Amino acid sequence: MAAPVVEAEASGRAATRPPARERKNGRFSVHFAHYKWLYLLLLPGVLYFAVFRYGPMYGVSIAFKDYVPFLGVNGSQWVGTQHFEDFFSNPDFPRLLGNTLILAFLNLGIAFPLTIVLALLLNEVRLSILKRTVQTLVYIPHFLSWTIVASLSFLLFALDIGPLFQFLNGVMGTNIDFLSDPAWFRPLIVLQEIWKNTGWGTIIFLAALATVDQDQYEAAIIDGAGRFRRVWHITLPGIRSTIIVMLILAIGQMLNTGFEQIYLMTNALNRDVADVFDTYVYFVGITQGAYSYSTAVGLFKSLVGLVLIFGTNWLAKRFNQSGLF
């Protein structure tokens, strides 16, 4: 008789227990009520991405259409991958790809490591006033627009009157026009990138350096480790996960060489090495009205960046490192 009673009680509890969906909704309601102010703070960011990031993605469909403004997006004729085929067969494609990749690898191979080096140097400064002063000085260029940076470059390297033009040509014994010589375009772009954004990029690394266990430094000092060995064996391993995450993001942005900077430094004499995907989209899409074709070029660039992010993250996981996701 005991078994039927137990079964009856179990079936009664099961009958009175609410469905799984209702239990899940109830837990979510309690969770939302408890963290409602955090969700309210999250709302502006969600709205920003919804309106300015995900909303405009509807217009990407014109990359597969022969877009005519008077017909609209829905009324334009569907052409499939025709614009992508035209772009890949265009004689400009190898030149654009080469120019973009060269600038991307120069920035990734020079500017990115310098950000880490500068953060390590600032972390070793023990005089608080000096450290804050240097940090402020290296942060300031980030807040200058690329228009100001380009204007300063023109003033410094102007033909015949620029102080750096006169100094460098005097040292090298040449008469090089740095602003127009194609061979000097990429060094100028990299130098601008270093001067403007290296200091600002140290913020995240300095925050990561603040989390490194100070007891390890004390133990290393007792063991006789010098400053370089402490940096190599304690500091760098302590911020390795941050370096990997920032590297993944930097690789994902490789093809985004920066429209404003390149456009402002481009002229008729250096255009062969200055044209990249960003400026090509502007010239073809805005000045020539090839909206669908330029959208296809921009979509190709975005898809490559997405593949690079997932690929780099997979490699990081493959080598047992912390990835982006």
Side-chain angles (χ1 to χ4, degrees):
M1 296 298 292
V5 172
V6 173
E7 292 179 359
E9 292 179 354
S11 60
R13 288 195 300 269
T16 57
R17 180 182 299 175
R21 179 177 297 179
E22 293 184 6
R23 295 198 305 271
K24 185 176 180 180
N25 292 336
R27 289 196 298 268
F28 177 76
S29 300
V30 173
H31 175 81
F32 182 81
H34 185 70
Y35 295 103
K36 58 183 178 181
W37 298 114
L38 293 179
Y39 283 106
L40 184 62
L41 291 174
L42 182 65
L43 184 60
V46 173
L47 290 177
Y48 169 79
F49 278 95
V51 174
F52 295 104
R53 298 294 182 178
Y54 290 98
M57 292 179 72
Y58 170 73
V60 173
S61 61
I62 70 173
F64 305 94
K65 297 183 177 183
D66 186 12
Y67 176 68
V68 179
F70 298 103
L71 298 178
V73 176
N74 295 326
S76 299
Q77 181 182 2
W78 182 271
V79 296
T81 59
Q82 181 63 46
H83 298 301
F84 294 93
E85 296 173 5
D86 293 341
F87 176 56
F88 295 143
S89 61
N90 194 316
D92 290 332
F93 175 73
R95 179 174 60 89
L96 294 170
L97 182 62
N99 292 341
T100 303
L101 290 179
I102 290 174
L103 283 176
F105 281 113
L106 285 175
N107 286 327
L108 187 65
I110 299 176
F112 183 78
L114 284 179
T115 303
I116 303 173
V117 172
L118 181 58
L120 294 175
L121 293 175
L122 289 173
N123 188 60
E124 294 298 319
V125 177
R126 294 294 174 256
L127 188 59
S128 179
I129 297 178
L130 178 61
K131 183 177 181 178
R132 290 198 298 267
T133 303
V134 174
Q135 283 181 291
T136 303
L137 292 176
V138 297
Y139 290 167
I140 288 176
H142 174 77
F143 298 98
L144 301 178
S145 67
W146 281 116
T147 304
I148 296 177
V149 175
S151 300
L152 292 173
S153 300
F154 284 121
L155 291 174
L156 293 172
F157 292 96
L159 190 65
D160 295 332
I161 61 174
L164 288 182
F165 169 84
Q166 296 177 351
F167 173 75
L168 292 176
N169 281 318
V171 172
M172 295 184 295
T174 58
N175 191 29
I176 301 174
D177 185 1
F178 298 99
L179 297 175
S180 300
D181 191 346
W184 282 92
F185 175 80
R186 290 166 183 151
L188 286 177
I189 293 297
V190 175
L191 288 174
Q192 287 179 344
E193 179 67 25
I194 292 172
W195 182 74
K196 188 176 189 296
N197 291 324
T198 300
W200 183 257
T202 61
I203 292 178
I204 296 178
F205 293 111
L206 287 174
L209 288 169
T211 63
V212 179
D213 188 4
Q214 298 299 316
D215 293 339
Q216 298 184 32
Y217 290 109
E218 296 177 1
I221 293 173
I222 294 173
D223 291 338
R227 179 163 294 183
F228 177 78
R229 288 190 175 275
R230 295 199 299 268
V231 170
W232 184 259
H233 294 288
I234 299 176
T235 306
L236 287 177
I239 63 173
R240 180 168 49 197
S241 59
T242 303
I243 294 175
I244 292 175
V245 170
M246 298 304 297
L247 181 61
I248 293 173
L249 294 175
I251 291 177
Q253 296 291 325
M254 278 183 63
L255 299 186
N256 293 330
T257 50
F259 166 75
E260 292 182 46
Q261 181 189 16
I262 305 297
Y263 177 75
L264 291 170
M265 297 298 296
T266 301
N267 53 58
L269 298 177
N270 62 18
R271 188 175 297 277
D272 287 339
V273 298
D275 278 339
V276 293
F277 288 135
D278 292 322
T279 56
Y280 184 73
V281 168
Y282 168 77
F283 287 121
V284 173
I286 303 300
T287 63
Q288 300 180 16
Y291 302 112
S292 295
Y293 180 78
S294 60
T295 303
V297 177
L299 182 59
F300 162 75
K301 184 172 70 73
S302 300
L303 291 177
V304 171
L306 185 64
V307 171
L308 288 174
I309 287 180
F310 278 94
T312 311
N313 188 79
W314 178 82
L315 285 175
K317 295 287 188 180
R318 185 76 174 177
F319 289 97
N320 297 322
Q321 301 296 327
S322 58
L324 185 60
F325 48 84

